[in-house]
Amino acid sequence: QVHLGESGGGSVQAGGSLRLSCRTSAYTYSTDCMGWFRQAPGKEREGVAVIGRDRTTSYADSVKGQFTISKDNAKNTLYLQMNSLNPEDTAIYYCAARYSISCLLQVGDFGYWGQGTQVTVSS
């Protein structure tokens, strides 16, 4: 059964860091592609970072060099390390998964989603 559960969100001042975690079932972790997406108030959901089964990664231009996606096989957990946060990073962050070799930052490609975790960055 597919299950994703995010944690690690919170409030932080600009310039700070947070690490988001997404715990999954072993079944979910076996998917070909997992990723992080975010949705800011009044905006559409957008891709942040994805990682394939072979650990190939892809990032949105807005977070390159700032965020790092990774996964821990032993813990069936996906991570998103976020550094140098700014108020524009404020959003609900979602973990997602899909069964496909194709691993792109396309919201519509992902069929499995977590409930989201709120990240708020104050100036």
Side-chain angles (χ1 to χ4, degrees), residues 30-123:
S30 68
T31 56
D32 298 295
C33 177
M34 297 186 69
W36 289 97
F37 295 77
R38 67 185 180 185
Q39 188 164 15
K43 295 186 177 180
E44 293 186 352
R45 193 171 299 188
E46 64 176 2
V48 175
V50 293
I51 184 167
R53 182 188 291 270
D54 62 356
R55 298 181 183 273
T56 299
T57 58
S58 181
Y59 295 90
D61 288 342
S62 58
V63 305
K64 283 181 180 177
Q66 181 188 2
F67 291 3
T68 303
I69 189 171
S70 63
K71 57 183 183 179
D72 185 328
N73 290 346
K75 297 181 179 180
N76 291 343
T77 301
L78 180 73
Y79 299 102
L80 184 69
Q81 177 66 43
M82 305 186 295
N83 298 325
S84 302
L85 287 162
N86 58 73
E88 289 69 37
D89 297 314
T90 295
I92 298 174
Y93 284 72
Y94 297 91
C95 172
R98 69 174 302 206
Y99 287 96
S100 174
I101 294 175
S102 175
C103 196
L104 302 175
L105 288 164
Q106 302 285 353
V107 173
D109 289 350
F110 287 76
Y112 304 102
W113 294 86
Q115 294 299 309
T117 184
Q118 176 71 48
V119 171
T120 302
V121 185
S122 58
S123 58

